[in-house]
Amino acid sequence: MRKIIILAAVLGCIQIVYAQVTIENLLSVPFPTELKSSPDGKHIAWVFNDKGVRNVFIADAPAFVPRKVTNHTNDDGLEIGSLSFTPDGSKLLFTEGNTLNGAGEAANPAMLQEKTGQFVWFVNTDGTGLRKIAAGDNATAAPNNSSVIFISGNKVWQASLADTTKKAEQLFEARGAMANLRWSPDGKQLAFISHRGDHAFLGIFDVEHKAIQYPDPSVDIDIEPVWSPDGKWLAYIRIPNTKDVLPFVELRSGSPWSIRLLDVEKGQAKELWKAEEGMGSVLFTDFPVADNLLLWAAGNQLVFPWEKDGWQHLYAIDAMTGGTPRLLTPGDGEVENMFLSGDGRSVVYNTNIGDSHRRHIWQVTVSGSAPVQVSKGTGIEWNAVQTQAGVAVIQSTATTPGWPGLIKTDGTIIKIGAELFPAAFPATSLVVPQVVSFPSKDGLLIHGILFLPPGYQAGKKYPALLFFHGGSRRQMLTGFHYMDYYSNDYAMNQYYASKGYIVLAVNYRSGIGYGMQFREAPHYGANGGSEYNDVVGAGLYMRARADVDSKRLGLWGGSYGGYLTAMGLSRNSDMFACGVDIHGVHDWNEEMKNWVSNYDPTTRAAFAATATASSPVHFLDGWKSPVLFIHGDDDRNVPFNQTVNLIEKLRKRKVYFEQLIIPDEIHDFLLHKTWVKGYYAGADFFERKMK
């Protein structure tokens, strides 16, 4: 009898632990973004999104005790970003507010009765002097710390950092949309890029003489200018104009990109280096994420990314003599973040080299010595910055979301502001997922992240879910993701596991992490939908597992993941019982219009036919399985009409559907309550349709 009582008590404790795995608790940890350090390394700053309440935090070396320097208290949907310190480290610049849609409306899902557009702010690093400067974004302070420039209405503006009564003024008048603002070291000149539709010029503004020059104009696209430390040279990237290249179509090679070098005083430019034909000829700009894709290092060495061997690696070349670039980051894997050390002699970066489904921090000297792994263990580290006390990063694990930390000399990481981490977060109740591999329908090897329910029993059959990430330039990892959207999705997969589902997050082709050839898969997306082979392969893998009830296999995902969910339901309702489609793409020809303003399927008949045949709308007669649609009607990535039009077609075919429509919400949901509501709606739908 005593044993029965003890067993009952133990089971009761287990039930209490598992009951803590709620969607609210899983999303309770403030998500950190925009980790930045001051030039002198004395301060770091970041943004915490705490259940929709976004605030800026600053901490000082070496203790790094966080202090909140903004005062938001509501889940208001107002973003904060573009953090940057002034050169002397005394002030922090940042942007509050949301971007505009095509109608010129700033996102406002909370329906606030005030302007929600973007404004530039600054605050002293001690937390005093918080002040709104003007409408705009992408602020950067002048080298003398006296003023700040920023972009507003695609033009460059300037405001005083000392005189609070002086209004911001447009710095200069020029055609085009301005980007890539780069001060010369002495603050006398400003380099910028003027985007003009099908071409983009490097420009230089002379502050003293208020004069503009375009020293090296062409029909191509210049980006990412970087000054030499002495201010005598400007290096920049030139990408050949490619008028007919469409998004969501493989691009393995093209006219090679190049690095150009400008003698600023003489106004003479030359081609320093040019990529080779074939692999690496097309510049991939999604990563590494950095202040600039070109780093001017010590000894006049230029560091840049290149996919010559099929991986996004870092290379170095002499800025004065050119020559053959030196590979700095060898191995099967990709560099995703990078920064130049203060002395300019080494690059700190994060990568999945040696650990395909995680990210770690590495360091390599520009001279080319062997790279050294800086962070160790089974966590995921990203967004490294240099401080006086060492390298600060954001780290997550399989059971804890991302959090700021400091890398110790042994490679482990100590949390910054650990006292702010929510005590209610159910880390001990979460599972550690495993990497599995399986063949796609056409034989390509595909990897996935598998979540088994807590208390998993080998002889039991479980309902199962396939999850597809968005992007498609993403990769799901064996821990909480470094992007807030996919950190939430990882949390939701943990929630489904806690509810007794086996969940497989599929890293399908056209995603990142496995090299250029996997990312630029033949006939992916609008050019054939070849990644649907991976959907079928994942379905067959799950159905073949002895622990999966093959009649209870569902699909879910957002954006590109919504597209693959809809593809599965339309093409294989015999395999997939139901699905949750969150702002998914349903018609590639309609989606193209969102990214290419002059896209006209009537003038591209052959491609348009392929795009249609690659879309869920092409297979609607086979759609039998129930579906839940979730979509915000101010979505700028996947227009709301994608869901409107599909529902109309399904309604005519008597296909069962449900809908959760969120007024004024965008693609990356801005409101915390939207995430919670959407996730509970999905969980309830699966519960009713599968369990």
Side-chain angles (χ1 to χ4, degrees):
M1 184 68 177
R2 186 169 181 270
K3 290 182 178 179
I4 294 175
I5 294 173
I6 293 173
L7 179 61
V10 171
L11 290 174
C13 291
I14 292 174
Q15 289 171 355
I16 291 172
V17 171
Y18 286 169
Q20 295 174 346
V21 184
T22 65
I23 292 174
E24 289 89 347
N25 282 348
L26 285 169
L27 302 184
S28 66
V29 178
F31 191 85
T33 57
E34 296 268 344
L35 182 63
K36 298 291 175 63
S37 62
S38 59
D40 58 11
K42 292 181 179 179
H43 316 285
I44 59 173
W46 68 93
V47 178
F48 261 150
N49 181 347
D50 186 2
K51 298 183 289 295
V53 182
R54 298 166 176 85
N55 279 295
V56 178
F57 285 73
I58 296 177
D60 307 327
F64 293 114
V65 177
R67 56 181 174 276
K68 186 171 64 173
V69 297
T70 55
N71 304 298
H72 297 283
T73 58
N74 298 317
D75 179 14
D76 56 15
L78 295 178
E79 294 194 286
I80 300 179
S82 298
L83 273 61
S84 66
F85 283 94
T86 53
D88 64 359
S90 66
K91 294 178 175 62
L92 179 73
L93 302 164
F94 59 95
T95 299
E96 284 189 2
N98 299 331
T99 57
L100 307 179
N101 60 17
E105 303 162 331
N108 186 17
M111 300 172 216
L112 304 174
Q113 299 305 300
E114 60 188 64
K115 291 184 177 180
T116 58
Q118 293 182 313
F119 286 87
V120 175
W121 291 69
F122 81 76
V123 64
N124 297 323
T125 51
D126 63 4
T128 63
L130 180 66
R131 180 166 75 89
K132 181 192 292 186
I133 297 176
D137 189 19
N138 295 304
T140 182
N144 64 5
N145 305 289
S146 65
S147 64
V148 58
I149 56 171
F150 55 92
I151 295 174
S152 182
N154 286 326
K155 303 299 181 183
V156 180
W157 291 67
Q158 185 175 37
S160 172
L161 287 174
D163 187 349
T164 59
T165 64
K166 189 176 181 180
K167 291 186 177 181
E169 298 178 344
Q170 188 172 327
L171 183 60
F172 58 86
E173 181 64 39
R175 289 181 56 221
M178 302 299 153
N180 293 168
L181 308 181
R182 307 284 191 262
W183 283 109
S184 62
D186 60 8
K188 294 181 178 181
Q189 298 182 90
L190 178 71
F192 62 93
I193 298 296
S194 174
H195 287 279
R196 304 186 174 196
D198 58 3
H199 60 287
F201 297 152
L202 168 72
I204 301 176
F205 175 68
D206 186 307
V207 176
E208 181 181 356
H209 299 97
K210 300 188 182 304
I212 296 173
Q213 60 171 315
Y214 299 106
D216 189 24
S218 75
V219 299
D220 297 319
I221 298 169
D222 294 336
I223 61 172
E224 305 288 322
V226 61
W227 291 90
S228 61
D230 60 11
K232 295 180 179 180
W233 303 89
L234 264 172
Y236 48 100
I237 292 171
R238 175 161 290 176
I239 302 173
N241 189 354
T242 50
K243 180 179 180 181
D244 290 327
V245 172
L246 294 172
F248 309 109
V249 172
E250 70 270 21
L251 186 60
R252 292 191 161 201
S253 64
S255 298
W257 63 282
S258 60
I259 298 175
R260 296 186 65 79
L261 187 68
L262 173 72
D263 183 323
V264 177
E265 184 178 357
K266 295 179 180 179
Q268 296 176 353
K270 66 177 182 179
E271 182 177 280
L272 177 68
W273 172 85
K274 188 176 184 178
E276 299 171 13
E277 298 278 352
M279 193 174 296
S281 57
V282 176
L283 178 66
F284 183 64
T285 59
D286 285 16
F287 56 76
V289 177
D291 291 337
N292 208 317
L293 288 181
L294 285 178
L295 304 178
W296 198 300
N300 287 324
Q301 300 297 298
L302 283 173
V303 177
F304 61 93
W306 187 23
E307 288 187 301
K308 171 58 182 173
D309 60 359
W311 300 95
Q312 187 76 317
H313 285 313
L314 298 182
Y315 290 77
I317 192 171
D318 191 290
M320 298 295 103
T321 61
T324 302
R326 304 185 310 280
L327 174 62
L328 300 180
T329 59
D332 291 351
E334 311 192 282
V335 174
E336 286 195 342
N337 304 150
M338 66 172 179
F339 74 85
L340 191 64
S341 63
D343 61 8
R345 298 184 182 278
S346 63
V347 180
V348 180
Y349 59 98
N350 88 324
T351 182
N352 67 338
I353 295 173
D355 199 350
S356 297
H357 297 90
R358 297 187 181 93
R359 303 290 187 268
H360 300 300
I361 308 302
W362 289 67
Q363 186 167 7
V364 63
T365 62
V366 177
S367 61
S369 61
V372 176
Q373 187 172 343
V374 178
S375 65
K376 307 290 178 63
T378 58
I380 298 165
E381 297 87 45
W382 68 95
N383 199 169
V385 296
Q386 187 69 55
T387 79
Q388 289 186 349
V391 175
V393 296
I394 301 175
Q395 184 195 49
S396 69
T397 70
T399 57
T400 55
W403 196 265
L406 190 70
I407 302 178
K408 299 166 62 177
T409 55
D410 63 358
T412 60
I413 296 173
I414 183 171
K415 278 185 169 62
I416 293 172
E419 68 280 1
L420 301 178
F421 195 93
F425 185 77
T428 57
S429 299
L430 302 186
V431 299
V432 177
Q434 57 188 273
V435 177
V436 297
S437 302
F438 52 88
S440 175
K441 183 182 177 182
D442 61 2
L444 182 66
L445 184 66
I446 301 298
H447 305 287
I449 310 301
L450 186 72
F451 300 77
L452 297 176
Y456 168 81
Q457 301 173 32
K460 182 179 177 180
K461 284 190 176 292
Y462 294 88
L465 297 173
L466 296 181
F467 167 77
F468 303 101
H469 61 73
S472 61
R473 304 323 202 195
R474 309 283 186 266
Q475 180 191 24
M476 297 308 291
L477 310 175
T478 55
F480 280 85
H481 205 272
Y482 51 82
M483 295 177 66
D484 53 356
Y485 188 120
Y486 302 102
S487 179
N488 289 347
D489 283 349
Y490 178 91
M492 192 60 192
N493 284 332
Q494 287 278 6
Y495 179 79
Y496 281 128
S498 77
K499 292 299 180 182
Y501 294 90
I502 293 177
V503 184
L504 176 62
V506 182
N507 282 326
Y508 54 90
R509 74 189 74 184
S510 77
I512 62 170
Y514 308 104
M516 185 274 284
Q517 297 190 61
F518 185 88
R519 187 190 72 235
E520 303 297 331
H523 305 295
Y524 94 88
N527 197 34
S530 62
E531 55 268 81
Y532 187 66
N533 289 298
D534 310 338
V535 176
V536 175
L540 293 174
Y541 166 79
M542 292 293 269
R543 285 160 63 98
R545 288 181 62 99
D547 52 7
V548 169
D549 182 346
S550 62
K551 294 182 179 180
R552 295 189 293 166
L553 177 59
L555 309 171
W556 83 281
S559 192
Y560 214 105
Y563 159 66
L564 292 179
T565 294
M567 287 286 277
L569 299 178
S570 61
R571 297 186 64 173
N572 280 105
S573 278
D574 57 330
M575 183 182 296
F576 304 117
C578 58
V580 175
D581 174 347
I582 306 173
H583 42 235
V585 173
H586 307 132
D587 185 338
W588 279 120
N589 281 307
E590 287 300 313
E591 183 66 17
M592 284 294 174
K593 298 175 184 178
N594 191 53
W595 302 97
V596 182
S597 59
N598 63 352
Y599 178 79
D600 182 358
T602 64
T603 64
R604 300 173 180 263
F607 175 79
T610 300
T612 297
S614 308
S615 303
V617 294
H618 187 64
F619 303 96
L620 294 184
D621 289 340
W623 192 320
K624 308 298 180 186
S625 300
V627 61
L628 167 64
F629 294 107
I630 301 176
H631 210 153
D633 84 327
D634 191 20
D635 194 326
R636 293 93 184 274
N637 295 52
V638 179
F640 186 62
N641 65 10
Q642 291 272 359
T643 296
V644 172
N645 295 339
L646 182 58
I647 283 180
E648 178 187 6
K649 292 176 172 61
L650 293 182
R651 186 177 276 137
K652 291 178 179 178
R653 289 167 172 80
K654 308 299 182 184
V655 175
Y656 181 85
F657 69 87
E658 297 178 14
Q659 56 182 310
L660 173 61
I661 305 304
I662 306 101
D664 299 336
E665 188 61 276
I666 65 168
H667 195 70
D668 296 342
F669 298 147
L670 291 172
L671 296 177
H672 176 76
K673 66 180 181 182
T674 299
W675 288 102
V676 173
K677 185 177 183 179
Y679 281 158
Y680 269 124
D684 174 70
F685 182 81
F686 283 130
E687 184 76 17
R688 288 184 285 107
K689 297 302 175 184
M690 292 223 301
K691 295 181 71 175

